[in-house]
Amino acid sequence: MAEAEFPIVDPHQVHFRPRHVPVVAHQFDDLQQETEADTLGMWTFLATEVLFFGGMIAGYTVYRSTYWWAWRNASVVVDNLRFLGLSSGAWNTAVLLTSSLTVALAVRAAKMGNQRQLLIHLILTILLGLGFLGIKACEYTHEAHEGVWPGQSVFHPDKDSMDQLHIAAREHGLYFPALLREFRLFWCFYFFMTGIHALHMIIGIGVFTYLLIQSKRGRYTPLKHAQVEISALYWHFVDLVWIFLFPLLYLVR
Amino acid sequence: MQTPHEKVDSVFTYLGVYLALMVLLAATIVCAQLDLGEGNTFAALGIAVLKMILVILFFMHVRHNAKLVWVFVISAFLWLSILLCLTMTDYSSRGWEPTAMKGMTRGNRSEPNQMLELRPGFED
């Protein structure tokens, strides 16, 4: 390792103050190798997550191609909660994309060693994550009132949507109770996919609260901030999942 | 104050990507209002893929990462596409019909179908 590249003579001997952890763990040659290993390890986990959500998306694709007419209408039922003219799903996408920006800026602040900006962006991220869950809770409550939850036996949306569905079913000569079972299948997918995504959000908020506490103690320096970086990868991945869930569940047309 | 092996993007790069993501979100919402038939699904998913590429390359810094990370990222989505393609080749060749709309295809969906009377009440 050329000294011109690294200002530090031997990073293994440089100790990170609070707990005397070496900046570079002993199994790595240098910081670059350690950073690459951290990133690669996180991406390995994220690849398994892609396939974890991929299983649900595969099941979804099979039933959507079979029950396309019913699912289109079941999606409209899910998409009918609006705030200021925009559907709750669209608001949630905007909230999550914004949180991705604050996470990216938090990583940048950690790399630059800007403690104040790091704290601000971590707090903003946690607040946006909580905002997402808040909007989701409103949706779930609304859907419980309409009888959309799995296990609820009577579907009773507002009169207008009910009339519309009734007329559409009559027009196409569809048998309503059978149609309703196909609706319920969509809603099951909706609750499982958004539910598991929300669980990932809750875990993410927990991880970021840990980062906040650690960064308050000054644990992250321009040399040592792998925790911020790989937690950010996780957060962005949860955002990616939502980027696909939004058109798949709210915008079936 | 930065380590030599890490590139730090400017704030404007991140803000630009964020702006692009918000424009794409607006495009998705507008597309969903239009009636494009089959095109709706493709438009919505195409925009989602664009958003995904922006997030992975810029926010997740994959464009600065080693080639091995690229291999891992691409293989994740390659395996996902194998999962979806093989599943659909199986199910699309089974000839299943939706229970509520027997005899109905996308072509004749506006034709009346008198197979079953609509019953009053909406309980399962």
Side-chain angles (χ1 to χ4, degrees), chain B residues 15 20 78 85 97 117:
Chain B
L15 287 178
L78 186 69
C85 289
E97 274 184 285
E117 275 297 303

Side-chain angles (χ1 to χ4, degrees), chain A residues 5 35 40 44 54 64 66 68 98 108 153 162 166 172-176 180 182 184 222-223 225 229 233, chain B residues 1 3-6 9 11 18 28 41 59-60 68 72 80 98-100 106 109 113 118-119 122 124:
Chain A
E5 279 181 28
T35 309
L40 196 63
T44 311
R64 177 165 164 186
T66 313
W68 54 272
T98 312
R108 186 175 182 277
S153 58
M162 192 46 136
H166 206 160
H172 294 289
L174 300 180
Y175 180 46
F176 205 87
L180 209 48
E182 293 167 13
R184 293 225 176 269
L223 283 181
H225 55 262
E229 236 176 320
L233 285 182
Chain B
M1 278 298 281
T3 52
H5 64 281
E6 280 184 316
D9 293 321
V11 176
Y18 175 66
T28 316
T41 311
F59 282 175
M60 298 170 99
L68 193 57
F72 275 53
L80 178 65
T99 46
R106 271 160 207 252
R109 68 185 181 218
N113 182 334
L118 198 64
R119 290 183 190 169
F122 307 107
D124 291 44

Side-chain angles (χ1 to χ4, degrees), chain A residues 2-18:
Chain A
E3 269 191 55
E5 279 181 28
F6 272 80
I8 298 144
V9 180
D10 181 2
H12 294 93
Q13 297 306 315
V14 179
H15 285 248
F16 185 54
R17 279 267 177 78

Side-chain angles (χ1 to χ4, degrees), chain A residues 5-7 31-32 35-36 39-40 43-44 46-47 50-51 54-55 57-58 61-70 72 82 86 90 93-94 97-98 100-101 104-105 107-108 111-113 152-155 162 166 169-182 184 222-223 225 229 233-234 236-237 239-240 243-244 246-248 251 253, chain B residues 1-11 14-15 18 21-22 25 28-29 32-34 37-38 40-41 44-45 47-49 51-53 55-56 58-62 64-66 68-69 72-73 75-77 79-80 83-84 87-88 91 96-102 104-106 109-124:
Chain A
E5 279 181 28
F6 272 80
L31 207 50
Q32 181 172 5
T35 309
E36 277 179 20
T39 311
L40 196 63
W43 270 107
T44 311
L46 294 185
V50 168
L51 290 175
I57 290 175
T61 314
V62 168
Y63 290 113
R64 177 165 164 186
S65 63
T66 313
Y67 303 135
W68 54 272
W69 195 88
R72 189 190 289 163
R82 262 150 227 285
L86 265 183
T93 315
L97 289 176
T98 312
S100 255
L101 174 71
L105 291 177
V107 174
R108 186 175 182 277
K111 280 182 186 169
M112 305 286 278
Q152 286 185 303
S153 58
V154 184
F155 173 50
M162 192 46 136
H166 206 160
R170 189 192 297 277
E171 231 170 55
H172 294 289
L174 300 180
Y175 180 46
F176 205 87
L179 196 62
L180 209 48
R181 280 196 283 279
E182 293 167 13
R184 293 225 176 269
L223 283 181
H225 55 262
E229 236 176 320
L233 285 182
Y234 173 81
H236 289 309
F237 174 79
D239 181 26
L240 278 187
I243 286 176
F244 280 92
F246 173 55
L248 287 181
L251 303 178
R253 298 287 184 272
Chain B
M1 278 298 281
Q2 73 192 61
T3 52
H5 64 281
E6 280 184 316
K7 290 195 182 67
V8 180
D9 293 321
S10 82
V11 176
Y14 290 122
L15 287 178
Y18 175 66
L21 286 170
M22 289 315 239
L25 170 62
T28 316
I29 295 166
Q33 313 292 327
L34 309 171
E38 293 289 290
N40 275 112
T41 311
L45 287 179
I47 292 172
V49 169
K51 280 193 215 159
M52 177 185 83
I53 290 171
V55 170
I56 288 183
F58 289 90
F59 282 175
M60 298 170 99
H61 303 122
V62 168
H64 296 319
N65 283 155
L68 193 57
V69 175
F72 275 53
V73 176
S75 65
F77 292 100
W79 256 256
L80 178 65
L83 172 70
L84 291 178
T87 308
M88 284 319 290
Y91 283 96
W96 281 6
E97 274 184 285
T99 46
M101 37 190 254
K102 276 208 172 77
M104 214 169 114
T105 63
R106 271 160 207 252
R109 68 185 181 218
S110 53
E111 285 174 25
N113 182 334
Q114 314 81 13
M115 55 163 297
L116 284 164
E117 275 297 303
L118 198 64
R119 290 183 190 169
F122 307 107
E123 298 186 22
D124 291 44

